């Protein structure tokens, strides 16, 4: 009563058939694409997520106090950006004051940089740019004398930019 089943594979071993290799190739392609996607995601991760919210909150409060100090001192800045240089036209800032300019990219933190500004005539401070700045970058100018203060804004044009408190 043992009846042999007819062979539909023609007697070939499995590794000589088309369909097993087709399925293995599809699965291998999906696994490879997934690994590549994970590698790209880790290499180009957004810098927008902050790990330590408490420290960031303290820094925000300190920045608010420094902005209020700039308003109390009557400090006003107009930022002019050209492809080669950045110039600040200032009011109520001594030429002896050491100003620091921080330029931050809105998405890529590895492109952020800061420069010390050199005093020029008539309340002008200037610095050479290390890299090209386009619309959307954020700038902040700070000093520690006569008390810590800060003014910031966003670059709207590389020809000229007006900042406010």
């Amino acid at each position: 009563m043992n009846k042999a089943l007819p062979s539909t594979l023609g007697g070939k071993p499995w590794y000589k058939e088309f369909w097993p290799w087709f399925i293995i190739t599809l699965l291998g392609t999906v696994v490879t694409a997934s690994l590549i996607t994970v590698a790209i995601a880790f290499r180009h991760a957004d810098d927008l997520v902050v790990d330590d919210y408490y420290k960031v909150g303290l820094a925000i409060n300190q920045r608010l106090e420094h902005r209020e100090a700039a308003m109390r001192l009557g400090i006003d800045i107009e930022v002019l950006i050209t492809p080669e240089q950045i110039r600040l036209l200032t009011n109520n800032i001594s030429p002896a004051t050491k100003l620091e300019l921080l330029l931050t990219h809105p998405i890529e933190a590895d492109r952020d940089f800061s420069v010390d500004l050199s005093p020029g005539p008539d309340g002008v401070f200037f610095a050479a740019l290390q890299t090209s700045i386009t619309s959307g970058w954020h700038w902040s100018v700070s000093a520690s004398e006569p008390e810590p203060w800060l003014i910031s804004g966003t670059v709207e044009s590389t020809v000229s930019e007006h900042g406010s408190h």
Side-chain angles (χ1 to χ4, degrees):
M1 298 246 186
N2 281 347
K3 193 174 185 183
L5 294 174
S7 174
T8 58
L9 298 177
K12 291 193 242 175
W14 72 270
Y15 56 85
K16 290 188 178 181
E17 293 294 330
F18 169 76
W19 290 109
W21 290 113
F22 179 74
I23 292 171
I24 290 170
T25 302
L26 283 178
L27 293 174
T29 303
V30 169
V31 169
T32 303
S34 299
L35 292 175
I36 291 171
T37 302
V38 167
I40 290 171
F42 278 108
R43 186 175 304 125
H44 302 290
D46 288 340
D47 297 322
L48 302 175
V49 178
V50 178
D51 291 332
D52 194 350
Y53 298 102
Y54 180 73
K55 285 184 181 178
V56 171
L58 291 176
I60 289 171
N61 288 340
Q62 187 176 31
R63 289 176 64 95
L64 290 173
E65 291 171 3
H66 291 174
R67 284 191 175 116
E68 290 170 1
M71 289 173 42
R72 271 194 321 275
L73 295 169
I75 295 172
D76 190 31
I77 294 177
E78 181 179 349
V79 179
L80 304 170
I81 298 176
T82 64
E84 307 85 29
Q85 185 183 61
I86 187 159
R87 291 184 317 150
L88 274 64
L89 309 174
T90 64
N91 290 329
N92 297 329
I93 299 178
S94 164
T97 304
K98 181 181 176 189
L99 295 182
E100 180 183 10
L101 170 70
L102 175 64
L103 289 161
T104 57
H105 191 273
I107 298 173
E108 300 172 18
D110 59 334
R111 295 182 61 190
D112 299 353
F113 66 96
S114 65
V115 293
D116 291 328
L117 296 160
S118 302
D122 300 325
V124 175
F125 288 80
F126 63 93
L129 286 176
Q130 304 166 351
T131 185
S132 65
I133 304 298
T134 58
S135 297
W137 281 66
H138 302 285
W139 60 266
S140 63
V141 178
S142 62
S144 57
E145 296 177 8
E147 64 179 288
W149 58 264
L150 171 84
I151 295 179
S152 61
T154 302
V155 175
E156 294 176 4
S157 170
T158 57
V159 176
S160 68
E161 162 69 21
H162 300 283
S164 63
H165 300 297

